[in-house]
Amino acid sequence: MESPHWLRLERRVRFGDTDAAGVIQFHQLLRWCHEAYEESLERFGIGAAEIFPRPEWSMGQTSGAQAAPDGIQTPLSIALPIVHCSADFRRPLVCGDRLEITLEPRLLDQGSFEVNYMFTCAGQAAARGLTRHRAITVSTRQACALPAVISSWLAASIPGDGPP
């Protein structure tokens, strides 16, 4: 079964992503993983302001700020820090390579999830990444349950369970 559109993304390796040897710098893969996670959430309908912290001075701005039902902007009460990450390379990635990124999110428990990222180039496995996230209450930094919007994204990501 094919993955939903919010779990299949594309990107191209740019010159600035590469090192003096002409291959991507190792840290770029984890940056691409996080960008793919952000884009997947956006495509699913979850705005950045619903998940990612914003500075207090920006709360009065309307572009993407989180608004309570009464219209007042509020800071997030739950954060989703990455508590583990890894990356494996299967082949060199060079400037101009077109990559397909497939995300496989998985609920671990009521307060954590992980996302596996598969990178393919010209139909061949090129790299793999993993990020593991833990929900915490911002004020106390204690573990808590995942926000409902993330639980919905995770549930919809299960093959056969997501929206068309």
Side-chain angles (χ1 to χ4, degrees), residues 15-33:
F15 178 73
D17 299 326
T18 63
D19 60 16
V23 298
I24 71 159
Q25 295 177 333
F26 69 93
H27 62 89
Q28 297 294 2
L29 192 73
L30 292 172
R31 181 174 64 87
W32 293 345
C33 288

Side-chain angles (χ1 to χ4, degrees), residues 30 82-87 129-132:
L30 292 172
I82 293 174
V83 296
H84 173 79
C85 61
S86 63
L130 171 84
T131 57
R132 193 166 294 138

Side-chain angles (χ1 to χ4, degrees), residues 78-80 109-112 134-137 142-148 151:
I78 297 175
L80 299 168
D109 59 42
Q110 72 174 5
S112 63
R134 178 75 189 140
I136 61 169
T137 303
Q142 297 298 308
C144 65
L146 293 169
S151 294

Side-chain angles (χ1 to χ4, degrees), residues 67-84:
D70 60 5
I72 297 172
Q73 313 275 316
T74 59
L76 292 174
S77 59
I78 297 175
L80 299 168
I82 293 174
V83 296
H84 173 79

Side-chain angles (χ1 to χ4, degrees), residues 24 57 100 137 139:
I24 71 159
W57 58 263
E100 182 175 297
T137 303
S139 61

Side-chain angles (χ1 to χ4, degrees), residues 47-70:
E50 295 178 74
I51 299 299
F52 301 109
R54 298 171 53 94
E56 284 189 33
W57 58 263
S58 72
M59 292 297 157
Q61 299 177 9
T62 57
S63 61
Q66 180 179 358
D70 60 5

